[in-house]
Amino acid sequence: MKALKICGKVLLILVIIVIIILIIGLLFLNFYPSIGDTPNKEKQKEYEKLTELYYDKRFHNEKDFEVMTGTPSKESERSEPESRIPVQKIDSIDRAGADEMKVTWLGHSSSLVQMGEKNIFIDPVLSERSSPVSFAGPKRFSDIALDAENVPDIDVLFISHDHYDHLDYQTIKDIDSKVSHYVTPLGIDVILKGWGVDESKLHPLGWWESTTLDGVTYTVVPSQHYTGRNPMKQNATEWGGLYIKTDKHSFYYTGDSGYYEVFSQVYEHFGETDLMLAVKAAKEQGANIATPRIGQTVSYDDISSFTEHWWEEYK
Protein backbone atom coordinates (compact mmCIF):
# COMPACT_ATOMS: atom_id res chain seq x y z
CA MET A 1 0.00 0.00 0.00
CA LYS A 2 2.82 2.37 0.91
CA ALA A 3 4.56 1.60 -2.42
CA LEU A 4 1.35 2.44 -4.30
CA LYS A 5 1.09 5.82 -2.53
CA ILE A 6 4.72 6.61 -3.42
CA CYS A 7 4.12 5.64 -7.07
CA GLY A 8 0.99 7.80 -7.09
CA LYS A 9 2.89 10.81 -5.77
CA VAL A 10 5.71 10.30 -8.30
CA LEU A 11 3.16 10.06 -11.12
CA LEU A 12 1.41 13.21 -9.92
CA ILE A 13 4.75 15.07 -9.81
CA LEU A 14 5.56 13.91 -13.35
CA VAL A 15 2.14 15.05 -14.59
CA ILE A 16 2.62 18.45 -12.95
CA ILE A 17 6.08 18.79 -14.53
CA VAL A 18 4.68 17.93 -17.97
CA ILE A 19 1.87 20.47 -17.53
CA ILE A 20 4.36 23.16 -16.48
CA ILE A 21 6.55 22.41 -19.51
CA LEU A 22 3.53 22.63 -21.81
CA ILE A 23 2.46 25.94 -20.29
CA ILE A 24 5.99 27.36 -20.65
CA GLY A 25 6.07 26.13 -24.26
CA LEU A 26 2.76 27.76 -25.09
CA LEU A 27 3.81 31.03 -23.46
CA PHE A 28 7.08 30.93 -25.41
CA LEU A 29 5.33 30.31 -28.75
CA ASN A 30 2.79 33.04 -28.18
CA PHE A 31 4.82 35.78 -26.51
CA TYR A 32 8.54 35.40 -27.28
CA PRO A 33 9.34 38.40 -29.56
CA SER A 34 11.28 36.59 -32.29
CA ILE A 35 8.43 34.13 -32.91
CA GLY A 36 6.36 37.03 -34.18
CA ASP A 37 2.67 37.89 -34.35
CA THR A 38 0.16 36.20 -36.64
CA PRO A 39 -2.71 37.89 -38.53
CA ASN A 40 -5.78 38.63 -36.41
CA LYS A 41 -9.41 37.88 -37.36
CA GLU A 42 -9.76 41.21 -39.20
CA LYS A 43 -6.74 40.41 -41.37
CA GLN A 44 -7.99 36.88 -41.96
CA LYS A 45 -11.26 38.25 -43.36
CA GLU A 46 -9.27 40.53 -45.67
CA TYR A 47 -7.28 37.58 -47.00
CA GLU A 48 -10.45 35.58 -47.64
CA LYS A 49 -11.69 38.41 -49.87
CA LEU A 50 -8.34 38.83 -51.62
CA THR A 51 -7.68 35.24 -52.64
CA GLU A 52 -9.56 31.97 -52.92
CA LEU A 53 -6.39 30.24 -51.73
CA TYR A 54 -6.96 31.52 -48.19
CA TYR A 55 -9.45 29.46 -46.17
CA ASP A 56 -9.58 27.58 -42.87
CA LYS A 57 -7.44 30.41 -41.42
CA ARG A 58 -4.47 29.54 -43.60
CA PHE A 59 -2.97 30.05 -47.06
CA HIS A 60 -2.80 27.17 -49.53
CA ASN A 61 -0.65 26.32 -52.53
CA GLU A 62 -2.06 26.31 -56.05
CA LYS A 63 -1.32 22.58 -56.14
CA ASP A 64 -0.94 20.05 -53.35
CA PHE A 65 2.54 18.69 -52.73
CA GLU A 66 4.36 16.53 -50.21
CA VAL A 67 7.54 17.41 -48.37
CA MET A 68 10.25 14.93 -49.34
CA THR A 69 10.83 12.27 -46.70
CA GLY A 70 12.69 8.99 -46.35
CA THR A 71 16.32 8.04 -46.80
CA PRO A 72 18.41 10.58 -48.77
CA SER A 73 19.96 9.38 -52.01
CA LYS A 74 23.71 8.88 -52.41
CA GLU A 75 23.86 12.16 -54.31
CA SER A 76 22.45 13.98 -51.26
CA GLU A 77 24.24 12.82 -48.14
CA ARG A 78 23.32 16.09 -46.38
CA SER A 79 26.65 16.05 -44.59
CA GLU A 80 28.28 19.13 -43.14
CA PRO A 81 31.47 20.52 -44.71
CA GLU A 82 34.65 19.40 -42.96
CA SER A 83 35.71 23.00 -42.36
CA ARG A 84 34.18 26.47 -42.30
CA ILE A 85 33.36 27.73 -45.79
CA PRO A 86 35.49 30.84 -46.46
CA VAL A 87 33.84 34.13 -47.29
CA GLN A 88 34.90 37.39 -48.83
CA LYS A 89 34.43 39.83 -45.96
CA ILE A 90 32.64 43.06 -46.88
CA ASP A 91 33.46 46.34 -45.15
CA SER A 92 31.30 48.56 -47.35
CA ILE A 93 29.15 48.44 -50.49
CA ASP A 94 28.89 51.37 -52.87
CA ARG A 95 25.77 52.00 -54.90
CA ALA A 96 25.80 50.71 -58.46
CA GLY A 97 25.75 52.99 -61.48
CA ALA A 98 22.51 54.03 -63.17
CA ASP A 99 22.79 51.35 -65.90
CA GLU A 100 24.34 48.57 -63.81
CA MET A 101 22.91 45.44 -62.20
CA LYS A 102 24.90 43.63 -59.51
CA VAL A 103 24.25 40.85 -57.02
CA THR A 104 26.18 40.14 -53.82
CA TRP A 105 25.48 36.68 -52.42
CA LEU A 106 25.62 36.52 -48.61
CA GLY A 107 24.91 32.83 -48.04
CA HIS A 108 21.78 30.65 -48.39
CA SER A 109 19.03 32.93 -49.75
CA SER A 110 20.43 36.26 -48.55
CA SER A 111 21.42 38.53 -51.43
CA LEU A 112 21.89 42.22 -52.05
CA VAL A 113 20.59 43.09 -55.51
CA GLN A 114 21.66 46.42 -56.97
CA MET A 115 19.57 47.56 -59.92
CA GLY A 116 20.60 50.94 -61.14
CA GLU A 117 21.10 53.05 -58.05
CA LYS A 118 18.66 50.99 -55.94
CA ASN A 119 19.78 48.65 -53.17
CA ILE A 120 17.35 45.74 -52.76
CA PHE A 121 17.97 43.31 -49.89
CA ILE A 122 16.45 39.84 -50.23
CA ASP A 123 15.83 37.55 -47.24
CA PRO A 124 18.68 38.99 -45.14
CA VAL A 125 19.91 36.76 -42.34
CA LEU A 126 23.00 38.21 -40.67
CA SER A 127 22.92 36.09 -37.52
CA GLU A 128 24.95 33.03 -36.58
CA ARG A 129 21.88 30.77 -36.25
CA SER A 130 18.48 30.37 -37.93
CA SER A 131 16.42 30.07 -34.79
CA PRO A 132 14.11 31.97 -32.45
CA VAL A 133 16.95 31.95 -29.90
CA SER A 134 20.62 32.83 -30.32
CA PHE A 135 22.04 29.88 -28.38
CA ALA A 136 20.44 26.96 -30.24
CA GLY A 137 19.25 25.91 -33.68
CA PRO A 138 20.88 25.43 -37.11
CA LYS A 139 24.25 27.16 -37.30
CA ARG A 140 25.70 28.61 -40.49
CA PHE A 141 28.63 26.84 -42.17
CA SER A 142 30.52 30.07 -42.81
CA ASP A 143 31.37 33.34 -41.13
CA ILE A 144 29.05 36.29 -41.71
CA ALA A 145 30.22 38.11 -44.84
CA LEU A 146 28.42 41.38 -44.13
CA ASP A 147 27.94 42.61 -40.58
CA ALA A 148 24.80 44.58 -39.81
CA GLU A 149 26.72 47.79 -39.15
CA ASN A 150 28.21 47.62 -42.68
CA VAL A 151 24.88 47.17 -44.47
CA PRO A 152 24.34 50.12 -46.83
CA ASP A 153 21.13 52.11 -47.04
CA ILE A 154 18.42 49.80 -48.38
CA ASP A 155 15.70 51.09 -50.70
CA VAL A 156 13.59 47.92 -50.55
CA LEU A 157 13.86 44.84 -48.34
CA PHE A 158 11.99 41.74 -49.51
CA ILE A 159 11.05 38.77 -47.33
CA SER A 160 9.87 35.69 -49.27
CA HIS A 161 8.38 33.84 -46.29
CA ASP A 162 8.56 33.63 -42.52
CA HIS A 163 10.90 30.68 -41.90
CA TYR A 164 13.80 31.52 -39.61
CA ASP A 165 16.44 31.10 -42.33
CA HIS A 166 14.70 33.82 -44.38
CA LEU A 167 13.24 36.17 -41.77
CA ASP A 168 15.55 36.91 -38.85
CA TYR A 169 14.40 38.95 -35.88
CA GLN A 170 17.80 40.29 -34.86
CA THR A 171 18.75 41.25 -38.42
CA ILE A 172 15.55 43.24 -38.87
CA LYS A 173 16.06 45.00 -35.52
CA ASP A 174 19.66 45.82 -36.43
CA ILE A 175 19.09 47.23 -39.92
CA ASP A 176 15.53 48.59 -39.90
CA SER A 177 16.77 52.17 -39.54
CA LYS A 178 18.55 51.77 -42.91
CA VAL A 179 15.49 50.40 -44.76
CA SER A 180 13.12 52.71 -46.65
CA HIS A 181 10.51 50.14 -47.70
CA TYR A 182 9.57 46.49 -47.13
CA VAL A 183 7.83 44.44 -49.82
CA THR A 184 6.37 41.18 -48.53
CA PRO A 185 3.74 38.52 -49.18
CA LEU A 186 0.54 38.91 -47.15
CA GLY A 187 0.93 38.51 -43.40
CA ILE A 188 4.68 39.06 -43.18
CA ASP A 189 3.88 42.73 -42.58
CA VAL A 190 2.06 41.70 -39.39
CA ILE A 191 5.26 40.15 -38.04
CA LEU A 192 7.37 43.15 -39.01
CA LYS A 193 4.92 45.63 -37.49
CA GLY A 194 4.98 43.61 -34.26
CA TRP A 195 8.75 44.01 -34.22
CA GLY A 196 8.45 47.79 -34.35
CA VAL A 197 8.77 48.44 -38.09
CA ASP A 198 6.91 51.62 -39.07
CA GLU A 199 3.67 50.62 -40.83
CA SER A 200 4.20 53.32 -43.48
CA LYS A 201 7.22 51.36 -44.75
CA LEU A 202 5.28 48.12 -45.25
CA HIS A 203 3.92 47.02 -48.64
CA PRO A 204 2.19 43.63 -48.30
CA LEU A 205 1.16 42.11 -51.64
CA GLY A 206 -0.80 39.07 -52.71
CA TRP A 207 0.32 36.90 -55.61
CA TRP A 208 0.61 38.85 -58.90
CA GLU A 209 0.11 42.16 -57.09
CA SER A 210 2.61 44.93 -57.77
CA THR A 211 3.82 48.16 -56.26
CA THR A 212 6.00 50.80 -57.88
CA LEU A 213 8.50 52.57 -55.64
CA ASP A 214 10.64 55.37 -57.05
CA GLY A 215 10.32 54.08 -60.61
CA VAL A 216 10.97 50.39 -59.85
CA THR A 217 8.13 47.84 -60.02
CA TYR A 218 8.02 44.96 -57.53
CA THR A 219 5.64 42.06 -58.09
CA VAL A 220 5.10 39.23 -55.60
CA VAL A 221 4.68 36.05 -57.63
CA PRO A 222 3.42 32.61 -56.55
CA SER A 223 5.71 29.91 -55.23
CA GLN A 224 5.20 26.39 -53.96
CA HIS A 225 6.12 26.38 -50.30
CA TYR A 226 4.68 26.82 -46.80
CA THR A 227 5.17 28.98 -43.71
CA GLY A 228 5.13 28.85 -39.94
CA ARG A 229 7.36 30.25 -37.21
CA ASN A 230 4.95 28.84 -34.67
CA PRO A 231 4.33 25.11 -35.28
CA MET A 232 0.79 25.56 -34.00
CA LYS A 233 -0.01 28.23 -36.59
CA GLN A 234 1.14 26.84 -39.94
CA ASN A 235 0.55 28.81 -43.18
CA ALA A 236 -0.93 31.77 -41.33
CA THR A 237 1.18 34.03 -43.56
CA GLU A 238 1.72 33.85 -47.32
CA TRP A 239 4.90 32.96 -49.20
CA GLY A 240 6.12 34.05 -52.63
CA GLY A 241 8.85 35.01 -55.05
CA LEU A 242 9.70 38.46 -56.36
CA TYR A 243 9.91 39.94 -59.85
CA ILE A 244 11.65 43.31 -60.18
CA LYS A 245 11.47 45.50 -63.26
CA THR A 246 13.32 48.73 -63.98
CA ASP A 247 13.60 50.61 -67.26
CA LYS A 248 16.96 48.87 -67.83
CA HIS A 249 16.80 45.39 -66.27
CA SER A 250 14.59 42.65 -64.84
CA PHE A 251 15.23 40.20 -62.02
CA TYR A 252 13.39 37.12 -60.70
CA TYR A 253 13.80 35.49 -57.30
CA THR A 254 11.84 32.24 -56.95
CA GLY A 255 11.54 32.42 -53.16
CA ASP A 256 12.34 28.83 -52.11
CA SER A 257 9.74 27.49 -54.52
CA GLY A 258 9.31 23.87 -55.44
CA TYR A 259 9.22 23.22 -59.18
CA TYR A 260 5.85 23.62 -60.92
CA GLU A 261 4.13 25.67 -63.63
CA VAL A 262 4.82 28.99 -61.92
CA PHE A 263 8.09 29.40 -63.80
CA SER A 264 6.25 29.18 -67.12
CA GLN A 265 3.60 31.55 -65.76
CA VAL A 266 6.23 34.14 -64.85
CA TYR A 267 7.70 33.89 -68.35
CA GLU A 268 4.28 34.27 -69.95
CA HIS A 269 3.50 37.22 -67.70
CA PHE A 270 6.77 39.14 -67.95
CA GLY A 271 8.73 37.72 -70.90
CA GLU A 272 12.45 37.02 -70.78
CA THR A 273 14.27 37.91 -67.56
CA ASP A 274 17.79 39.29 -67.40
CA LEU A 275 18.81 37.64 -64.15
CA MET A 276 17.36 34.84 -62.00
CA LEU A 277 18.39 32.94 -58.83
CA ALA A 278 17.72 29.39 -60.19
CA VAL A 279 21.02 27.40 -60.81
CA LYS A 280 19.78 24.01 -62.03
CA ALA A 281 17.31 25.50 -64.52
CA ALA A 282 20.01 27.81 -65.88
CA LYS A 283 22.33 24.86 -66.56
CA GLU A 284 19.58 22.90 -68.30
CA GLN A 285 18.70 25.86 -70.52
CA GLY A 286 22.29 26.67 -71.42
CA ALA A 287 22.04 30.12 -69.87
CA ASN A 288 25.05 32.02 -68.55
CA ILE A 289 25.50 31.17 -64.89
CA ALA A 290 27.53 32.73 -62.09
CA THR A 291 28.57 30.79 -58.97
CA PRO A 292 30.23 33.39 -56.73
CA ARG A 293 31.76 32.73 -53.36
CA ILE A 294 29.91 34.08 -50.35
CA GLY A 295 30.50 37.81 -50.19
CA GLN A 296 31.49 38.24 -53.83
CA THR A 297 29.71 40.82 -55.99
CA VAL A 298 28.75 39.75 -59.50
CA SER A 299 28.07 42.28 -62.23
CA TYR A 300 25.45 41.31 -64.81
CA ASP A 301 27.89 42.39 -67.54
CA ASP A 302 30.60 40.04 -66.21
CA ILE A 303 28.74 36.84 -65.29
CA SER A 304 31.13 34.59 -67.21
CA SER A 305 33.97 35.51 -64.82
CA PHE A 306 32.26 33.77 -61.85
CA THR A 307 31.97 30.11 -62.86
CA GLU A 308 34.33 28.51 -60.34
CA HIS A 309 32.98 25.36 -58.63
CA TRP A 310 34.51 26.44 -55.33
CA TRP A 311 32.15 24.33 -53.17
CA GLU A 312 33.73 21.11 -54.41
CA GLU A 313 36.63 21.81 -52.06
CA TYR A 314 34.32 21.62 -49.04
CA LYS A 315 32.18 18.52 -49.59
Side-chain angles (χ1 to χ4, degrees):
M1 197 72 176
K2 193 172 184 180
L4 285 174
K5 287 184 178 180
I6 293 173
C7 288
K9 289 181 179 179
V10 170
L11 183 60
L12 178 61
I13 292 171
L14 290 174
V15 169
I16 291 173
I17 291 173
V18 170
I19 291 173
I20 291 173
I21 292 173
L22 288 173
I23 291 173
I24 291 173
L26 288 172
L27 290 172
F28 176 82
L29 290 174
N30 284 283
F31 296 105
Y32 196 70
S34 65
I35 301 290
D37 294 336
T38 51
N40 58 25
K41 291 183 179 180
E42 185 178 345
K43 285 287 186 181
Q44 291 170 6
K45 290 180 180 178
E46 288 181 20
Y47 302 156
E48 287 176 348
K49 295 177 181 178
L50 286 171
T51 172
E52 61 183 13
L53 292 174
Y54 185 86
Y55 53 90
D56 296 335
K57 299 182 180 180
R58 61 176 58 195
F59 288 95
H60 297 261
N61 282 284
E62 294 180 302
K63 288 189 173 183
D64 291 334
F65 74 98
E66 292 183 1
V67 177
M68 191 164 49
T69 59
T71 304
S73 68
K74 292 182 179 179
E75 294 181 352
S76 179
E77 296 176 353
R78 301 185 183 182
S79 59
E80 296 185 9
E82 295 180 356
S83 58
R84 297 279 282 182
I85 297 173
V87 304
Q88 184 168 309
K89 196 71 176 177
I90 303 170
D91 294 325
S92 63
I93 297 179
D94 296 327
R95 287 191 179 269
D99 296 329
E100 291 184 302
M101 178 162 62
K102 298 180 178 181
V103 176
T104 303
W105 181 45
L106 299 171
H108 190 44
S109 296
S110 301
S111 297
L112 177 67
V113 180
Q114 297 178 281
M115 299 181 72
E117 298 175 340
K118 303 302 178 189
N119 287 336
I120 304 159
F121 217 173
I122 292 178
D123 286 349
V125 175
L126 306 179
S127 298
E128 189 65 30
R129 296 180 184 273
S130 298
S131 170
V133 294
S134 62
F135 55 84
K139 190 176 182 180
R140 62 170 65 236
F141 295 144
S142 68
D143 292 336
I144 298 170
L146 178 64
D147 295 324
E149 59 265 28
N150 295 328
V151 170
D153 289 339
I154 302 299
D155 297 284
V156 168
L157 191 152
F158 175 71
I159 301 295
S160 64
H161 63 289
D162 69 10
H163 288 159
Y164 292 99
D165 56 344
H166 291 254
L167 174 57
D168 181 63
Y169 171 77
Q170 194 57 53
T171 298
I172 297 299
K173 297 296 286 185
D174 288 343
I175 70 173
D176 175 56
S177 62
K178 302 180 181 184
V179 179
S180 297
H181 301 279
Y182 292 81
V183 172
T184 72
L186 300 173
I188 303 298
D189 57 308
V190 174
I191 299 174
L192 295 172
K193 183 180 176 181
W195 290 347
V197 174
D198 192 320
E199 189 172 11
S200 67
K201 300 200 292 185
L202 299 173
H203 304 271
L205 302 173
W207 288 349
W208 301 114
E209 289 187 330
S210 302
T211 186
T212 299
L213 301 169
D214 199 16
V216 180
T217 300
Y218 304 86
T219 304
V220 170
V221 297
S223 67
Q224 188 179 73
H225 206 47
Y226 56 97
T227 59
R229 296 174 77 81
N230 182 336
M232 299 180 66
K233 298 178 180 179
Q234 295 293 296
N235 292 354
T237 61
E238 197 176 39
W239 51 93
L242 180 68
Y243 196 92
I244 310 172
K245 179 69 175 175
T246 71
D247 58 348
K248 300 289 184 183
H249 293 292
S250 57
F251 176 90
Y252 173 38
Y253 171 54
T254 62
D256 249 17
S257 178
Y259 189 84
Y260 79 116
E261 292 86 351
V262 67
F263 303 113
S264 298
Q265 294 170 10
V266 168
Y267 177 81
E268 291 168 2
H269 197 93
F270 297 106
E272 291 188 0
T273 301
D274 292 331
L275 190 61
M276 298 181 289
L277 303 182
V279 173
K280 185 176 180 181
K283 290 174 67 175
E284 292 174 350
Q285 296 296 323
N288 290 330
I289 182 171
T291 54
R293 290 175 181 263
I294 298 173
Q296 282 188 317
T297 299
V298 177
S299 171
Y300 174 69
D301 297 325
D302 195 26
I303 285 178
S304 60
S305 298
F306 295 87
T307 57
E308 176 190 11
H309 286 202
W310 56 268
W311 58 89
E312 294 179 354
E313 305 172 29
Y314 304 95
K315 284 186 177 180

